[in-house]
Amino acid sequence: MTIDVATGISRILKQEGVGWVSTFPVCRVNNALGREGVPMLMMRDDRYAVAVADAFSRITGGSRIGVCTFQGGVNAAGMQYAYAGMAQAYEDGSPVLCITDGVPAGSSGNSQYDVASAMKTVSKWFGYLDKPERTPELMRRAFTMLRSGRPGPVILAIPNATATYDETADPYRPVKGWKSAPDPVDVRAAVDQLLGARNPLIYAGEGVIYAGASEDLKALAELVNVPVITTLKAKGAFPENHPLFVGVRGDQVAHYLNKSDLILAVGSSLSPGRFSHAIPDAAKKTIIHCNVDELHINKMYPTAHAVIGDARLTLQALRQEVSDRTSGAGRNAGDVAAEVRAARHEALARYRQVMVSDETPINPYRVYGDLMEVLDLRNSFVTHESGNTRDQLSTVFDTLIPRGFLGWGNVSTLGFSLAAAIAAKKAFPERASVAVTGEAGLGYMLGNLEVLLREKLGITVVHISNGGFAGYGPGFWGPGHDPFTHRVLGPDEVDMSKVIGALGFHTERVSEPAEVIPALRRALDVNTSGRPAYIEFICCQYPVYGQWVGRSAE
Ligand SMILES: Cc1ncc(C[n+]2csc(CCOP(=O)(O)OP(=O)(O)O)c2C)c(N)n1
Ligand SMILES: [Mg+2]
């Protein structure tokens, strides 16, 4: 049976279990998607088309692949704008499939912007469909890249979507995705070191979530009695009410990073200096680096032992080895949990205090504390924005289930929180979905708020409204780092609840701390019937949060 490429791609996506595709028009496969009954979630710009699909892959830990389409080809206006979303997906290693128009044969060199070169800088793999009969082959390749190895975006460029091929010549079968197990010699070497260390620390990254290895991480940590920190992107990979959980950031995390003589890194790139901790005084520590491939091994720090393989299989192998060596007894290391509890208690005291503060304007931590109070933390989703909401929530928000919170951003591109909250609603419709943002993030998302109304996505946007870019300007904490470019019109000048209310959102404007909980409850309640909500909390500028640890010792 002869079909066109766009139809073939649409059918293959259905075979691969793709339930919907996010898009911003035009892309030449879109009409075939429509005809073949693949629902399209139309965002209001190309960057968000990518970001929603990207976030869907992240939130599902790659078990369901987010797919997006946008305009490319000779008139690559959409692609130029989508580039921001792809760069972000690539930086954070998200397995998203981006489908776009390719430059047709004979038209290369026609535009100034070199599409193929640009795409190659932001993808794990860039496929160019130069012959229609290669459609099944390139789709197989794409899903192999998306489901195996180190996660990252895959881009497929289709220069001629109406070209035809014989669908029966090379019938498509869905791609399973493959994993690798670590070399037992490496596992033994790692366990030798681990059992010989005085103050080991587990440094867990997002690879744990992609491998579906949270339970295995917990089991290993308990067996070896070792405290755990997680990266921002892995927040929730380890239950944050667990006695061995140290934190994502804060003084207690700095204390354990400094004190450790061995770092067991699992599923993390160990790339310091952006929104993650460095390993202080690394040359004096033993670093065991468990990663899915070699890309990050011996990067920045000398790796004492690498254990290469899938995080789940690695954690299981480490646990088995420890168990065999100790007859199941594990590592006895005194009352590690009590020390962790005391360190957490001391470091978090100053935040816990403001989480119940009655001051006005409202302290942002009061909003976070009340949010934790109102949400069922085992059945909800929260994400941050770039700015203080990232820094503060990652310091104090208790995440009990993997992806109950999405931390994102090796570099954190403003506006992603809305895409994340949308993707979470698509992935887990029964969960409350909340994006917490400042004014900068809100500015990026305004054009896309219509999507929530059109698609009946019951999401709450919590706005920490503080009249400026709080980390940037002068304030009570000192001069700030960008004193000339931080002030915007604030709550005294603009009532955003009226602006967004006019669109059709349920909106509230809250200036009394006692009203935080009732307002959140009302918003979450309207969300259950598919109506989005926006709450403007009139807050003080309070840029206080746990710091990232640098490379030199304290
Ligand atoms: C696309 C993009 N451009 C620039 C930045 C740099 N940036 C990070 S946070 C921020 C301002 C945050 O201010 P606001 O949203 O008001 O949050 P607050 O810190 O006041 O809570 C800026 C400009 C960024 N993260 N992303
Ligand atoms: Mg602000």
Side-chain angles (χ1 to χ4, degrees), residues 388 438-440 463-470 541:
N388 280 302
E439 22 280 306
H463 178 190
I464 303 296
S465 179
N466 59 18
F469 306 155
Q541 296 199 357

Side-chain angles (χ1 to χ4, degrees), residues 27-45:
C27 174
R28 294 204 175 88
V29 300
N30 280 359
N31 288 343
L33 289 171
R35 281 193 300 272
E36 291 294 315
V38 178
M40 276 176 281
L41 175 61
M42 187 176 70
M43 300 305 295
R44 293 295 294 267
D45 68 62

Side-chain angles (χ1 to χ4, degrees), residues 67 75 113 192 203 205 208 286 318 331 335 385 442 458 470 484 489 506 509:
V67 181
N75 180 18
Y113 182 64
D192 282 345
Y203 188 117
V208 172
T286 302
L318 290 170
R331 176 176 163 273
D335 204 350
E385 254 306 333
L442 188 68
F484 300 103
L489 296 185
H506 167 86
R509 180 168 234 237

Side-chain angles (χ1 to χ4, degrees), residues 33 66 90 124 201 269 287 292 374 497 531 547:
L33 289 171
Y90 188 56
K124 177 177 175 182
L201 178 68
S269 65
I287 298 178
V292 72
V374 164
S497 68
R531 187 171 176 210
Q547 296 299 316

Side-chain angles (χ1 to χ4, degrees), residues 190-203 220-221 223-229 244 246 253 255-265 285-288 322 331-334 336-337 339-340:
V191 169
D192 282 345
Q193 297 285 328
L194 183 61
L195 293 179
R198 285 174 65 85
N199 291 307
L201 178 68
I202 295 177
Y203 188 117
L220 178 71
L223 182 66
V224 293
N225 206 9
V226 169
V228 178
I229 66 170
L244 289 170
V246 176
V253 178
H255 169 73
Y256 273 93
L257 275 165
N258 280 307
K259 164 178 157 175
S260 62
D261 61 345
L262 179 143
I263 303 280
L264 177 67
K285 299 185 197 292
T286 302
I287 298 178
I288 300 176
V322 172
R331 176 176 163 273
N332 185 356
V336 176
E339 285 166 30
V340 170

Side-chain angles (χ1 to χ4, degrees), residues 68 108 121 161 231 265 273 339 363 382 435 509 547:
C68 62
S108 63
T121 63
T231 62
E339 285 166 30
N363 189 296
V382 173
R509 180 168 234 237
Q547 296 299 316

